[in-house]
Amino acid sequence: MLNSYKTEDKVLLAVDCIIFGFDKDDLKILLIKRDFEPEKGKWSLIGGFLKRSENLNEAATRILNHLTGFHDIYMEQLYAFSEVDRDPVERTISVAYYALINVENHTEELNQDYDAKWFSVDNAPKLIFDHDQMVRRAIKRLRYRTATKPIGFELLPEKFTMRQLQKLYEAILDKKLDKRNFISKINSLDVLVKLEEKDMMSSRKGSYLYKFDQEKYEEKSSQNFSLNL
Amino acid sequence: MLNSYKTEDKVLLAVDCIIFGFDKDDLKILLIKRDFEPEKGKWSLIGGFLKRSENLNEAATRILNHLTGFHDIYMEQLYAFSEVDRDPVERTISVAYYALINVENHTEELNQDYDAKWFSVDNAPKLIFDHDQMVRRAIKRLRYRTATKPIGFELLPEKFTMRQLQKLYEAILDKKLDKRNFISKINSLDVLVKLEEKDMMSSRKGSYLYKFDQEKYEEKSSQNFSLNL
DNA sequence: TCAAAAGTGTTCACCGTACACCCATGG
DNA sequence: CCATGGGTGTACGGTGAACACTTTTGA
């Protein structure tokens, strides 16, 4: 019965990455112009194939790093897409991952060898294959995660203002929030540190900068908070 | 560049199913005694391989049906497990699915050709490969789904008592619930129909039977309720 | 001095939670 | 008549939601 394995069909296993970024008021995704057939010249998610020597998380990290130069990125497995004809060339199952990156820190290191570009999520071009479906599912997951873990912070620079954080949540959830209620909810999580420093860019008065307190978060994250916004 | 596909590694893609059932007070999983190497004779999830002609949902349904005889079962994709050495024979990625079935309706049709048996989730034997990890993840997902969709009903017979429903939620969430609060929360969802009929099995007085109202549920399910228990 | 964004508290309605007694029936 | 499980309502505290004015400072 050992050789029952031998008679089974093998498939190609792809990994596609939905890379979210945040810039001012907009939630964005990073897309790449495909430079090979099929669908050459069309916009697509960043992707590649799983190698024999690595697991899926490693593949996702490698692919992301290779095509963008980014490293140390928050990533999470999303879903396996498996329609029989999803890739016209060959039977390929794709496991989608999504990543959160902070655009400011990483824009300079974007690998110029590839034709990658940021698009606003609600202004993105049509994508190849089932990539649009992947993006929709990723946004849904991101909304859910937002209420469960403070991953929103992954999309911001190390120091940020309350207003930026609020804009980010508004972009993810696609609704307006009240600033007083927002601030008190965020404060009640007790995972931010208010700095002395102010950001003078956005207004004459200047607004306090905050940073995320990794330690406090880890203390609490065991009991899985929920943030109702 | 088309032939870049050709140089990529192909892998076996397995599907493993965590099959949940509910019986009296206990949340159970259906396990099978493996009758082939490796790990012959050990307990394992029900599984099989993806075929070229089907997508993953179809494969999961086929595998479940073939090994158990069950049909029309609620299933959901869980996660892709991909450690390089997870299967000692050959590089295999496994996409786990979980299924919810109502034990009463299906016990008689359990395929006797396979050595399958129900185990209480917290009393199950050690499983092969990474199957224990799959089960843990499935339980976590089931808890979350319970708060989001009324999938718990999938685990009960068509007609059930409030007490049974409560026991089910207690088993899934692994905590005691107050019956008055439970009933009022369930009623506030407005997806159950109270029948005239009573179940006389469980007590002298008898308890009213309820059924799930598919239509009412569909009306509401667009706005994704949340049930805080 | 004024425009533009920052910062700050209170009130109300609703919901989650805790809690205890009577009811119906079969043996 | 009594033991067993079924069914029902209320009071309290906490949290989410709505809401408006003052502060700072560069131009």
Side-chain angles (χ1 to χ4, degrees), chain B residues 19-159:
Chain B
I19 303 171
F20 287 109
F22 179 69
D23 183 33
K24 296 206 181 66
D25 291 358
D26 271 350
L27 186 63
K28 309 203 164 206
I29 51 177
L30 187 64
L31 300 176
I32 199 167
K33 194 176 271 179
R34 231 169 122 96
D35 69 346
F36 56 94
E37 294 296 345
E39 305 277 8
K40 182 170 174 172
K42 302 235 177 112
W43 291 99
S44 127
L45 294 172
I46 281 167
F49 291 97
L50 179 75
K51 294 187 187 303
R52 227 177 265 291
S53 58
E54 64 189 0
N55 65 30
L56 284 163
N57 288 348
E58 288 158 357
T61 306
R62 170 180 59 78
I63 290 164
L64 184 78
N65 179 266
H66 175 234
L67 293 181
T68 64
F70 303 158
H71 48 87
D72 287 332
I73 297 296
Y74 178 94
M75 291 192 99
E76 184 182 340
Q77 186 186 309
L78 183 62
Y79 198 77
F81 293 81
S82 62
E83 289 304 315
V84 172
D85 56 357
R86 57 174 297 285
D87 184 319
V89 176
E90 178 141 4
R91 181 71 201 281
T92 306
I93 279 70
S94 171
V95 179
Y97 274 72
Y98 73 99
L100 303 181
I101 78 144
N102 124 25
V103 178
E104 283 183 33
N105 285 15
H106 292 95
T107 294
E108 43 322 325
E109 54 186 56
L110 234 189
N111 191 333
Q112 296 301 328
D113 301 347
Y114 300 92
D115 201 354
K117 201 180 146 199
W118 289 103
F119 289 86
S120 209
V121 283
D122 33 43
N123 208 5
K126 190 175 170 336
L127 305 179
I128 63 163
F129 303 170
D130 48 5
H131 288 193
D132 286 312
Q133 200 185 330
M134 293 177 179
V135 172
R136 281 197 300 277
R137 195 179 271 262
I139 292 172
K140 214 169 144 190
R141 177 78 66 91
L142 180 58
R143 284 191 185 142
Y144 162 62
R145 272 285 169 270
T146 291
T148 317
K149 312 225 175 238
I151 58 169
F153 303 114
E154 305 284 345
L155 290 156
L156 291 173
E158 198 191 334
K159 299 172 182 178

Side-chain angles (χ1 to χ4, degrees), chain A residues 1-2 4-6 8-13 34-38 49-58 77-84 87 89-93 95 97 129 141 144, chain B residues 1-2 4-6 8-13 34-38 49-58 77-84 87 89-93 95 97 129 141 144:
Chain A
M1 270 286 191
L2 178 54
S4 66
Y5 276 49
K6 297 241 167 58
E8 302 293 342
D9 297 330
K10 291 193 181 183
V11 295
L12 280 173
L13 199 50
R34 231 170 123 94
D35 69 347
F36 55 94
E37 293 296 343
F49 292 97
L50 179 76
K51 295 189 187 302
R52 226 176 265 292
S53 58
E54 64 188 358
N55 64 30
L56 284 164
N57 288 347
E58 288 159 356
Q77 186 187 308
L78 183 63
Y79 198 77
F81 293 81
S82 62
E83 288 304 314
V84 172
D87 183 320
V89 176
E90 178 140 6
R91 182 71 200 280
T92 306
I93 280 69
V95 179
Y97 274 71
F129 303 170
R141 176 78 65 92
Y144 162 61
Chain B
M1 272 282 193
L2 179 54
S4 66
Y5 277 48
K6 296 241 166 62
E8 303 293 340
D9 298 331
K10 291 193 180 183
V11 294
L12 281 173
L13 198 51
R34 231 169 122 96
D35 69 346
F36 56 94
E37 294 296 345
F49 291 97
L50 179 75
K51 294 187 187 303
R52 227 177 265 291
S53 58
E54 64 189 0
N55 65 30
L56 284 163
N57 288 348
E58 288 158 357
Q77 186 186 309
L78 183 62
Y79 198 77
F81 293 81
S82 62
E83 289 304 315
V84 172
D87 184 319
V89 176
E90 178 141 4
R91 181 71 201 281
T92 306
I93 279 70
V95 179
Y97 274 72
F129 303 170
R141 177 78 66 91
Y144 162 62

